[in-house]
Amino acid sequence: MIKELAQNAAKAAKVLAVLDEKTKNQVLQDMADALRTNAEVIYAANKMDLAQAEKDGLGAAMIDRLTLNEERVESMAAGIETIVSLPDPAGLERVVGERPNGLKISKMRIPLGVVCMIYEARPNVTADAGALCFKSGNGVILRGGKEALGSSKAIAAVLQDVLQKHNLPVELITVVPDPDRELMMELMQQDEYIDVIIPRGGEGLIRHVTDNSKIPVIQHFKGVCHLYIDKDADLQTAIDLLVNGKTHRTGVCNALEGLIVHKDIADSFLPLAAAALQSKQVKINASAKAAGYFENPTVIEDDAFGEEYLDLEIAVGIVDDLDAAFEHISRFGSHHTEVICTKNELTAKRFQRTVDASVVMVNASSRFSDGSELGLGAEIGIATTKLHAYGPMGLESLTAEKYLVSGTGQVRA
Amino acid sequence: MIKELAQNAAKAAKVLAVLDEKTKNQVLQDMADALRTNAEVIYAANKMDLAQAEKDGLGAAMIDRLTLNEERVESMAAGIETIVSLPDPAGLERVVGERPNGLKISKMRIPLGVVCMIYEARPNVTADAGALCFKSGNGVILRGGKEALGSSKAIAAVLQDVLQKHNLPVELITVVPDPDRELMMELMQQDEYIDVIIPRGGEGLIRHVTDNSKIPVIQHFKGVCHLYIDKDADLQTAIDLLVNGKTHRTGVCNALEGLIVHKDIADSFLPLAAAALQSKQVKINASAKAAGYFENPTVIEDDAFGEEYLDLEIAVGIVDDLDAAFEHISRFGSHHTEVICTKNELTAKRFQRTVDASVVMVNASSRFSDGSELGLGAEIGIATTKLHAYGPMGLESLTAEKYLVSGTGQVRA
């Protein structure tokens, strides 16, 4: 059953791969409209998921993620319209050069083929991933958690209905109908038909997929993001970035988990930071040196840094210089997002060049580290490893490049 | 031991990642010179490998691959000098755009980190991969087969000596000292320190690595390349491409293994093809329809196409039209290189756009499908799957891109 499902998705993807952008945009616009028109059907399915979730005693956060309402359906539809407005990367050609023998070399962007999403309880992934994959010319297989299965199926049915009306294969957007773990294992073995797996969820899920998949996996383990306050920082900017990065939303991967302060600015900055964090009830875990600036901090040892709190809690350390900040980030960061606050352009450049993270920021809140804030429209995931993609992944990340060679009969001597 | 070796390579790679291009080129030039100066030491080690190989009764092809002589050492040195002449991709920045809130977004190329090569008996991989990884800012771990181990160690020692003279860590170019299979298994688990594995060798080796590695693997399974003779082909060009693609070198992955002919041109082309192939002693495996044009062909059924002969042998089929050619290539190709011979520009464009292969050629020999012929200088491998790289991989394939975000204190509302 799973093999057949993957096979059908691959077959459908070949039809989509050669579809022109104008038609793809028309289909996507129809999908956005259909989500709005069929909102009631989606709510009905969602209510059943929610009823089951309450019966199963799911937590409030999970139930919140699961809930669909007018605002959220509208946001899915608007998301698809954003994707309509973005250029289609597939088919783009760039010249590489001409060889001495007259061969003309270029590269052309092409879809990957079939993308498989493995995710937990967010029904909106069905629409987001469905639309992103469609626009970039890829088939998608959606394997969501059992909690949101009814809602996901209802959303997919609306999208598939639009595909059918345009005489396109419904298998372009396939929902795995059974969230059984054995079937998921089988799904991860279909490397002949599926080109990439993008898991979205907790670290446990991602490890499980990485350890068991025969198909390449785009990994996104966690977000331990730091803000480094350079000795040449503007104090007000530093406080703004700290408060926004730590407290704007705490349960997300681009929230700040660590604050590193240059020793020369500690005396002027840390008292302000202490006041600002205290007013927001942020729990402080500080090194022995930094602890003195705070009321009731927890003093932590060196090896207790690097925690992903996902809460109103932060680790604070003082470093001697920029190199020591690099060392701290290299040791405790998770290659997600790292921020420097400085007025010194040379220091900023050195930070951006040296720090190994998928997003390296100067004087901006870590909370901007996501696909839509960076201008990618929607995002299909965030990669914290470097193979294929690094950082927020948009349409371009769902493509590859093939070589085109044009000659006039050249042969090799 | 293996974990420590991987850890040390990762540590060394961080030093290299921030080295400027000028210094890197100086080191590489010194490496090329040192290979020439120390050629005698390398030959001595190679002679011992060769003596052992004869004792072990290795085949002539294997012994040929293993043998180092003046020409081959010079070719390694010249290869490094080509790499010196190529631009360093690491550090390149491209503007992505500016957001409505004033955030400036760009992307910067960065090294992957540590590359692990797993290969069989070619000692030259040590120098080629060593230099490519060094130029692009990556550490490299070389795990070659036991047949060439002495030669590989001798080459690596020459390169490491140059590293040392420049006060760079010798662990940037690490040879796994023991070709034991258990140790290789351990190596493939070091995903914390190694960023990508590139296996080079037979399909068995690549499957073994893919099935057992926790680290992402760049796959290159085989080369089943086709030449499609369109109805609008120039007959002489068609014959030239056929003979060069099939007989220039047979044991390589960019050799032709299949010939597909449009039915409208079969009567004029296939008699010429038969004469040309016969004069080169090429064994013919033909469909029932195509067989009639050849003397003593083997008639094969549909499911016998798609063979990688790696010999003076080819499969020949006739198709009704371009779409049937697409179907044939999609069913029997290996996503390596596909060629069309046609004078019709529209047909050529449709072929390049539609065919899913890492290199799609018009009127050029499939034998041009390699890194140096495409202008990449050397190549570190060829990818026949689409994740991260597709086709011949040069310096750019050894890098990733990170996002750089520059602001003036923006926070998220």
Side-chain angles (χ1 to χ4, degrees):
Chain A
M1 187 273 267
I2 286 290
K3 186 182 169 179
E4 207 183 305
L5 173 153
Q7 221 166 3
N8 290 339
K11 208 173 140 195
K14 285 186 184 171
V15 176
L16 179 59
V18 291
L19 205 66
D20 62 288
E21 183 171 7
K22 208 181 138 194
T23 309
K24 288 197 281 191
N25 282 341
Q26 189 54 58
V27 173
L28 286 167
Q29 185 57 57
D30 289 354
M31 285 177 176
D33 296 342
L35 283 177
R36 292 184 182 112
T37 318
N38 294 284
E40 291 302 329
V41 187
I42 296 170
Y43 299 150
N46 187 241
K47 281 212 181 80
M48 290 177 69
D49 279 345
L50 286 169
Q52 187 63 43
E54 304 241 348
K55 222 185 275 173
D56 294 346
L58 262 63
M62 190 70 127
I63 288 190
D64 174 57
R65 258 181 243 158
L66 188 54
T67 305
L68 290 175
N69 52 33
E70 202 174 331
E71 188 194 328
R72 288 182 179 181
V73 170
E74 173 52 34
S75 143
M76 280 193 265
I80 295 182
E81 283 167 343
T82 305
I83 293 167
V84 170
S85 74
L86 294 170
D88 179 1
L92 282 185
E93 201 176 327
R94 65 173 167 121
V95 172
V96 174
E98 188 169 331
R99 302 293 304 151
N101 60 9
L103 287 181
K104 294 195 172 97
I105 320 287
S106 63
K107 295 192 101 175
M108 182 185 271
R109 286 222 164 262
I110 51 171
L112 292 176
V114 175
V115 176
C116 174
M117 304 290 303
I118 295 183
Y119 52 107
E120 290 169 342
R122 296 171 190 271
N124 65 302
V125 173
T126 313
D128 295 355
L132 277 167
C133 289
F134 184 82
K135 175 82 181 225
S136 53
N138 294 285
V140 66
I141 297 174
L142 299 150
R143 194 281 185 192
K146 72 172 190 305
E147 299 78 10
L149 193 59
S151 315
S152 291
K153 279 184 182 169
I155 295 168
V158 170
L159 307 182
Q160 288 167 342
D161 192 47
V162 174
L163 289 172
Q164 208 153 28
K165 279 184 183 141
H166 284 268
N167 290 313
L168 290 166
V170 295
E171 293 84 0
L172 285 173
I173 299 175
T174 296
V175 175
V176 179
D178 183 343
D180 178 82
R181 280 229 146 186
E182 280 303 307
L183 292 182
M184 177 164 127
M185 199 60 98
E186 213 185 311
L187 190 63
M188 294 190 288
Q189 311 312 310
Q190 306 302 322
D191 57 338
E192 202 180 328
Y193 307 109
I194 301 173
D195 297 89
V196 61
I197 293 190
I198 306 176
R200 297 190 67 170
E203 201 174 339
L205 174 75
I206 293 163
R207 288 264 172 231
H208 176 74
V209 174
T210 305
D211 289 349
N212 292 288
S213 175
K214 271 185 76 175
I215 303 162
V217 179
I218 303 274
Q219 295 167 351
H220 169 210
F221 286 121
K222 53 183 179 175
V224 180
C225 309
H226 297 89
L227 170 64
Y228 168 59
I229 310 297
D230 180 50
K231 68 181 167 57
D232 300 323
D234 176 77
L235 290 176
Q236 187 55 50
T237 303
I239 294 294
D240 291 348
L241 299 185
L242 172 62
V243 171
N244 192 252
K246 181 65 261 182
T247 69
H248 181 256
R249 242 179 110 184
T250 55
V252 290
C253 57
N254 60 12
L256 289 178
E257 305 290 9
L259 172 68
I260 323 165
V261 182
H262 191 291
K263 70 174 179 355
D264 293 355
I265 205 170
D267 279 347
S268 47
F269 173 71
L270 278 174
L272 302 177
L277 292 173
Q278 201 177 341
S279 80
K280 296 276 187 177
Q281 275 92 44
V282 178
K283 185 172 178 309
I284 306 294
N285 304 291
S287 68
K289 242 198 247 170
Y293 296 92
F294 295 91
E295 274 177 43
N296 303 317
T298 302
V299 178
I300 56 172
E301 294 302 315
D302 227 33
D303 57 5
F305 281 86
E307 197 71 30
E308 187 183 31
Y309 301 114
L310 295 172
D311 207 343
L312 282 174
E313 188 167 357
I314 196 164
V316 185
I318 295 176
V319 290
D320 282 348
D321 54 22
L322 187 58
D323 283 319
F326 291 152
E327 218 179 286
H328 185 101
I329 290 169
S330 166
R331 182 165 168 205
F332 300 111
S334 64
H335 307 287
H336 192 296
T337 298
E338 301 293 342
V339 185
I340 186 174
C341 181
T342 185
K343 288 181 288 185
N344 184 321
E345 275 187 40
L346 280 180
T347 307
K349 280 258 168 273
R350 236 192 107 203
F351 188 86
Q352 285 195 317
R353 163 107 209 199
T354 308
V355 169
D356 179 15
S358 71
V359 183
V360 190
M361 295 183 163
V362 176
N363 298 330
S365 169
S366 62
R367 289 280 297 125
F368 288 114
S369 188
D370 83 32
S372 54
E373 294 297 331
L374 296 181
L376 306 179
E379 77 185 15
I380 191 115
I382 294 185
T384 56
T385 54
K386 297 194 192 79
L387 261 277
H388 187 72
Y390 197 34
M393 297 170 63
L395 290 170
E396 194 181 280
S397 305
L398 292 170
T399 63
E401 277 186 316
K402 64 180 172 189
Y403 284 93
L404 304 185
V405 177
S406 300
T408 52
Q410 285 88 340
V411 296
R412 200 157 156 189
Chain B
M1 189 273 267
I2 287 289
K3 187 182 170 179
E4 208 183 306
L5 175 154
Q7 221 165 5
N8 289 340
K11 208 173 142 194
K14 284 185 184 172
V15 176
L16 179 59
V18 291
L19 204 66
D20 63 288
E21 183 171 7
K22 207 180 139 192
T23 309
K24 288 197 280 192
N25 283 340
Q26 189 54 59
V27 173
L28 286 168
Q29 186 57 58
D30 289 354
M31 285 178 177
D33 295 342
L35 282 177
R36 292 186 181 109
T37 317
N38 294 284
E40 291 302 329
V41 188
I42 296 170
Y43 298 149
N46 188 241
K47 280 209 184 80
M48 290 178 68
D49 279 344
L50 285 170
Q52 186 62 45
E54 303 240 352
K55 220 185 277 175
D56 294 346
L58 261 63
M62 190 73 128
I63 289 192
D64 173 58
R65 255 181 246 157
L66 189 54
T67 306
L68 290 175
N69 51 34
E70 204 175 326
E71 189 195 328
R72 288 184 178 178
V73 170
E74 173 52 34
S75 144
M76 279 193 269
I80 295 181
E81 282 167 345
T82 306
I83 294 167
V84 170
S85 74
L86 294 170
D88 180 1
L92 282 184
E93 200 176 328
R94 64 173 169 121
V95 171
V96 175
E98 188 169 334
R99 303 293 303 153
N101 60 8
L103 286 182
K104 293 194 172 95
I105 320 288
S106 63
K107 294 192 101 173
M108 181 184 272
R109 285 221 166 264
I110 51 170
L112 292 176
V114 175
V115 176
C116 174
M117 303 290 301
I118 294 184
Y119 53 107
E120 291 169 342
R122 297 171 188 272
N124 64 301
V125 173
T126 313
D128 295 354
L132 277 167
C133 289
F134 185 81
K135 176 79 181 228
S136 53
N138 294 285
V140 66
I141 296 174
L142 298 150
R143 194 280 184 193
K146 71 172 190 309
E147 299 78 11
L149 192 59
S151 316
S152 290
K153 279 184 182 167
I155 295 167
V158 171
L159 307 181
Q160 288 167 341
D161 192 48
V162 174
L163 290 172
Q164 207 153 28
K165 280 185 182 139
H166 285 269
N167 291 315
L168 289 166
V170 295
E171 293 85 359
L172 285 174
I173 298 176
T174 296
V175 175
V176 178
D178 184 343
D180 178 81
R181 279 228 146 187
E182 280 303 306
L183 292 182
M184 178 166 127
M185 199 62 97
E186 212 183 312
L187 190 62
M188 294 189 287
Q189 311 312 310
Q190 306 303 320
D191 57 336
E192 202 180 329
Y193 306 110
I194 301 174
D195 297 273
V196 61
I197 292 190
I198 306 177
R200 297 190 67 170
E203 202 175 337
L205 174 76
I206 294 162
R207 288 265 171 228
H208 176 75
V209 173
T210 306
D211 289 350
N212 292 288
S213 174
K214 270 183 80 173
I215 303 162
V217 178
I218 302 275
Q219 296 166 351
H220 168 210
F221 286 120
K222 53 184 179 173
V224 180
C225 309
H226 298 88
L227 170 63
Y228 168 60
I229 311 296
D230 181 48
K231 69 180 167 60
D232 298 324
D234 175 76
L235 290 177
Q236 188 55 51
T237 305
I239 294 294
D240 291 349
L241 300 185
L242 173 61
V243 172
N244 192 250
K246 181 64 262 182
T247 70
H248 181 256
R249 242 180 110 184
T250 56
V252 290
C253 58
N254 60 12
L256 289 179
E257 305 290 10
L259 171 67
I260 323 165
V261 182
H262 190 290
K263 70 173 178 353
D264 293 355
I265 204 170
D267 280 347
S268 47
F269 173 70
L270 278 174
L272 303 176
L277 293 173
Q278 202 178 339
S279 79
K280 295 276 187 181
Q281 275 92 43
V282 177
K283 186 173 177 307
I284 306 294
N285 304 291
S287 68
K289 245 198 247 170
Y293 296 92
F294 295 90
E295 274 176 45
N296 303 316
T298 302
V299 178
I300 56 171
E301 294 302 314
D302 227 34
D303 57 5
F305 281 85
E307 197 70 28
E308 188 183 31
Y309 301 113
L310 295 172
D311 207 342
L312 282 173
E313 190 169 354
I314 195 164
V316 185
I318 295 176
V319 292
D320 284 347
D321 54 21
L322 187 58
D323 283 319
F326 291 153
E327 220 179 285
H328 186 102
I329 290 169
S330 165
R331 181 165 168 203
F332 299 111
S334 64
H335 307 288
H336 191 295
T337 299
E338 302 294 341
V339 186
I340 186 173
C341 181
T342 185
K343 289 181 289 186
N344 185 321
E345 277 187 38
L346 280 179
T347 307
K349 281 259 166 276
R350 237 193 106 202
F351 188 87
Q352 285 195 316
R353 164 108 210 198
T354 309
V355 169
D356 178 14
S358 70
V359 183
V360 189
M361 295 184 162
V362 177
N363 298 329
S365 170
S366 62
R367 291 280 296 124
F368 288 113
S369 187
D370 83 32
S372 53
E373 294 297 332
L374 296 181
L376 305 179
E379 76 185 18
I380 191 119
I382 294 186
T384 56
T385 53
K386 298 194 191 80
L387 262 276
H388 185 71
Y390 196 33
M393 297 171 62
L395 290 169
E396 194 182 280
S397 305
L398 293 169
T399 62
E401 279 185 315
K402 65 180 172 187
Y403 285 91
L404 304 184
V405 177
S406 299
T408 50
Q410 285 87 341
V411 295
R412 200 157 158 190

